[in-house]
Amino acid sequence: MGNMILADKNSKRVATRAAYGNALANLGEKYSFFVLDADLSGSTQTAIFGEKYPERFINCGIAEQNMISIAAGIAAAGTPAFASSFAMFACGRAFEQIRNSVAYPELNVKICASHAGVTVGEDGATHQFCEDIALMRSVPQMTVINPADATEAYAAVEAILNHDGPVYMRLGRFAVPVIFDKENYSFELGKGIVLADGSDVAIFATGIMNAAALEARDLLTAEGIDAAVINIHTIKPIDKEIIVKYAEKTGRIVTAEEHTVIGGLGSAVAEVTSELCPTRMARVGIEDCFGTSGKAAELLDYFNLNAAGIAAKVKALFR
Amino acid sequence: MEREKLLCLDEAAAGIRCLSLDAVYNAESGHPGGSLSIAEILAYLYFEKMNIDPKNPQKPDRDRMVLSKGHACPALYSVLAMRGFFPETEIPTFRHLGSRLQGHPVMYKIPGVDMSTGSLGQGISAACGMAIKAKRCKEDYKVFAIIGDGESQEGQVWEAAMFAAHYKLDNLIVFLDYNHLQIDGDVRSVMNPTPLDEKFAAFSWYVQVIDGHSIKEIDYAVNNAYKSDKPSVIICNTVKGKGVSFMENNHTWHGKAPKKDDYEKAAAELKAAYEKAREARING
């Protein structure tokens, strides 16, 4: 097996939603499943599947609550169903349908929501959902996935299809660096991935913040701080073992997520460490506020969701 | 439908009412009014129309029934027990800690329950999901759903109505239990959903309006619905609390259990009705 991580992480940028659409279309032959969308199939990329397998694609129109319950009905009748829209609507608007009609009966519905976080960009706060992980994590039976890049997103689609039960997977609009080598990557549900080892601090990152965390590591190395970077693609069930291991090893933790600091990765990691190995930590994320219009890259900088933002939080732990 | 069969189903409906009342009384909570109003619909579906097998509740080609107004599950549990999906002796455990007969229906845990429901508006959508799955996978099971008149105030009901018509779900038959009452009072005074027939017709559904306590009319309407190329709604004029004189048309019995005195009075009325139906069946 070669190196899982690509040497040149800035050579290619792909949105995780694109990997999702391609994965669905490629898996359509091997597996029997339905794909549902709510008038955003071009944006969520489910249209790629829809063109290839029209008899298994269902456009529900702009009616997300109905879409989630339709998916539940299809799953109850024996076939897994993917349901996609923007995160705000797929899991925000339809939260109760997910909770009562999908998670409670433990149905095989995979809610794959794109345009999560502030990197939706110009649409502004109404569409920038930064609370999805917190909501989905609180629902019993729900598995919550947030892939780091296109390679991971692609692999995760098959993994969640093989997982029996409800899943929420977060996808993004913005083209982000591809950090994993497709040839050598394998997705293991519930297992964190050490992207870089280190002994002074552990940066736990999820989703698109992994690329920023790796950049932050370079900044910190230059200042004599040896940072480990761990990718937490499965936020629930969370990999307690790797969190405890690195908490004990480094004694300092920083979490990084394109999500509110309330209830997301930062909270999940803090829940583990506070009970098993209390550790000094800081959280990088949206600081309990709404988003705003702007270009995706500008917004990441505006909210300090970048290498400098992570490095600053790390350095504060050494003061 | 032959007279003999009609009388059998009337007896079954009367039995459902007796068991439903017992369930709610033993639980000291639950929803008697809307359970008593759907007894004939359930008796017809489970004892006459649906392709089901109590010994194999998950058989893939079975007809499905989604009780979208999940709070009426005392009636659903009663018919399932009478039909042999689980022992009738379990009925008194309804809503008790440790019982699988939860306050609202749970699929997989309770044999014969095809969908977990309870939060209004969602069951009809799930029924649409089951129906479109059958059509797209070329399976020929039918999907039935029972929704409430109060439930039709939920916006999701109309999202589902649009969906079913758009995808021509002619294998979907929805009973609308038009018992005229919801928790806070008359549906027309709380938030008027009428005219329900015209609304469904405007959504391109096949609409029939019947007496929901007449097995004969239910049978006639369902057979018509089988011939339609549209999704069907059968608006069933019913009486909330049907069969118990002091519960009939009284919204205060939507979601409360009778105390001992009231229970005894109600049980006596329902038992008498059951005996009468039984004798009618025996005497032909």
Side-chain angles (χ1 to χ4, degrees):
Chain A
M1 190 173 146
N3 195 346
M4 191 191 273
I5 300 168
L6 289 169
D8 182 5
K9 293 181 285 291
N10 286 314
S11 62
K12 207 173 148 196
R13 294 177 77 95
V14 183
T16 50
R17 61 180 166 136
Y20 168 63
N22 288 321
L24 288 179
N26 292 340
L27 293 169
E29 198 179 321
K30 187 174 167 192
Y31 296 93
S32 168
F33 59 85
F34 280 83
V35 177
L36 282 65
D37 208 298
D39 192 42
L40 290 167
S41 63
S43 300
T44 64
Q45 309 271 303
T46 59
I48 307 170
F49 178 88
E51 277 163 32
K52 205 168 164 189
Y53 299 104
E55 75 285 1
R56 283 191 274 146
F57 178 76
I58 301 166
N59 200 327
C60 297
I62 310 166
E64 297 81 9
Q65 299 166 55
N66 186 52
M67 173 179 73
I68 295 297
S69 304
I70 295 278
I74 291 171
T79 306
F82 287 82
S84 291
S85 178
F86 288 3
M88 184 71 251
F89 315 122
C91 104
R93 191 187 192 102
F95 173 80
E96 204 238 295
Q97 281 75 8
I98 294 174
R99 193 241 184 222
N100 278 325
S101 290
V102 172
Y104 181 44
E106 301 175 38
L107 289 169
N108 252 326
V109 174
K110 320 298 175 185
I111 299 126
C112 295
S114 76
H115 293 59
V118 291
T119 48
V120 177
E122 296 84 342
D123 280 351
T126 52
H127 288 54
Q128 293 167 346
F129 200 33
C130 298
E131 299 95 279
D132 54 332
I133 294 171
L135 277 180
M136 291 294 101
R137 201 167 72 84
S138 70
V139 176
Q141 302 296 340
M142 186 62 75
T143 293
V144 181
I145 312 270
N146 185 22
D149 73 346
T151 305
E152 190 158 78
Y154 189 98
V157 177
E158 188 164 12
I160 64 175
L161 196 48
N162 284 317
H163 169 79
D164 190 26
V167 175
Y168 175 74
M169 182 155 82
R170 181 186 228 231
L171 301 162
R173 174 192 182 216
F174 189 46
V176 293
V178 176
I179 59 178
F180 290 116
D181 180 5
K182 210 167 182 171
E183 303 304 316
N184 294 310
Y185 179 84
S186 74
F187 183 92
E188 203 181 336
L189 203 83
K191 288 283 174 203
I193 298 174
V194 179
L195 300 183
D197 212 342
S199 55
D200 297 333
V201 61
I203 303 170
F204 290 98
T206 189
I208 66 168
M209 293 305 289
N210 276 287
L214 287 169
E215 266 185 68
R217 182 178 192 273
D218 293 341
L219 297 178
L220 292 164
T221 304
E223 300 196 35
I225 297 172
D226 184 22
V229 177
I230 298 115
N231 168 26
I232 302 291
H233 54 62
T234 306
I235 297 172
K236 187 183 174 187
I238 197 145
D239 187 347
K240 289 183 183 175
E241 206 177 306
I242 207 166
I243 293 168
V244 170
K245 183 181 166 190
Y246 275 85
E248 285 173 348
K249 182 176 176 178
T250 65
R252 295 179 189 85
I253 287 174
V254 169
T255 56
E257 59 197 311
E258 186 203 5
H259 181 272
T260 171
V261 292
I262 299 170
L265 174 71
S267 298
V269 169
E271 285 159 17
V272 173
T273 57
S274 62
E275 288 188 352
L276 300 177
C277 53
T279 306
R280 274 196 77 187
M281 72 178 283
R283 294 166 298 158
V284 173
I286 299 292
E287 303 280 353
D288 194 19
C289 63
F290 288 107
T292 185
S293 288
K295 293 195 188 312
E298 292 171 346
L299 289 166
L300 289 174
D301 289 339
Y302 179 80
F303 287 106
N304 297 315
L305 301 174
N306 53 18
I310 296 170
K313 290 265 183 180
V314 168
K315 282 190 272 179
L317 289 182
F318 285 88
R319 266 179 225 134
Chain B
M1 186 182 268
E2 317 88 85
R3 183 175 158 75
E4 197 185 335
K5 209 165 247 178
L6 283 175
L7 293 172
C8 273
L9 296 175
D10 279 337
E11 182 188 344
I16 291 170
R17 290 201 169 90
C18 293
L19 273 181
S20 300
L21 180 77
D22 285 355
V24 172
Y25 175 66
N26 282 300
E28 299 177 4
S29 74
H31 299 79
S35 300
L36 296 172
S37 61
I38 60 169
E40 280 81 9
I41 299 167
L42 290 175
Y44 174 78
L45 289 176
Y46 284 87
F47 280 95
E48 168 66 19
K49 202 64 181 176
M50 285 170 69
N51 168 23
I52 44 172
D53 179 2
K55 290 193 190 68
N56 184 11
Q58 293 292 327
K59 72 168 187 157
D61 68 339
R62 72 190 186 280
D63 292 330
R64 269 77 172 170
M65 207 295 286
V66 179
L67 184 64
S68 197
K69 45 170 283 181
H71 56 273
C73 60
L76 177 62
Y77 296 162
S78 297
V79 78
L80 289 173
M82 287 165 62
R83 192 71 171 73
F85 281 89
F86 54 84
E88 274 184 37
T89 50
E90 258 187 77
I91 293 290
T93 71
F94 172 56
R95 285 181 171 240
H96 285 244
L97 186 63
S99 171
R100 57 181 171 176
L101 303 185
Q102 291 288 298
H104 291 84
V106 196
M107 61 190 295
Y108 299 134
K109 291 203 174 103
I110 309 167
V113 172
D114 287 317
M115 185 67 209
S116 300
T117 53
S119 178
L120 296 176
Q122 298 181 27
I124 184 175
S125 296
C128 288
M130 295 172 184
I132 197 167
K133 193 265 180 183
K135 289 190 80 73
R136 294 283 181 95
C137 296
K138 312 258 182 290
E139 296 170 52
D140 56 10
Y141 61 80
K142 302 281 183 192
V143 184
F144 300 94
I146 303 176
I147 66 171
D149 47 4
E151 182 178 11
S152 68
Q153 292 160 354
E154 288 279 8
Q156 188 175 349
V157 167
W158 304 101
E159 293 185 0
M162 201 184 302
F163 181 94
H166 182 83
Y167 287 109
K168 300 188 172 57
L169 303 181
D170 56 6
N171 53 351
L172 173 70
I173 297 168
V174 173
F175 295 91
L176 194 155
D177 177 25
Y178 192 17
N179 64 30
H180 302 271
L181 297 174
Q182 59 192 113
I183 304 183
D184 274 354
D186 189 300
V187 291
R188 287 158 302 188
S189 67
V190 175
M191 179 49 63
N192 191 354
T194 65
L196 287 161
D197 52 350
E198 289 176 29
K199 287 196 171 90
F200 274 99
F203 277 81
S204 294
W205 282 53
Y206 176 50
V207 183
Q208 300 174 86
V209 182
I210 64 162
D211 172 358
H213 298 306
S214 161
I215 299 281
K216 200 172 168 182
E217 290 193 25
I218 295 169
D219 180 53
Y220 181 74
V222 169
N223 289 328
N224 283 339
Y226 273 36
K227 288 176 226 146
S228 170
D229 59 358
K230 295 174 174 180
S232 274
V233 63
I234 302 171
I235 297 175
C236 299
N237 281 301
T238 57
V239 173
K240 194 154 188 160
K242 174 78 174 174
V244 178
S245 55
F246 58 91
M247 289 185 182
E248 286 192 0
N249 298 311
N250 182 343
H251 71 89
T252 64
W253 289 101
H254 171 92
K256 85 174 170 193
K259 299 266 187 284
K260 193 162 183 285
D261 284 0
D262 280 338
Y263 165 72
E264 280 166 2
K265 266 186 262 171
E269 290 183 26
L270 293 179
K271 190 91 174 72
Y274 174 73
E275 290 302 335
K276 202 174 148 197
R278 192 166 163 270
E279 273 167 39
R281 194 252 308 159
I282 291 165
N283 300 329

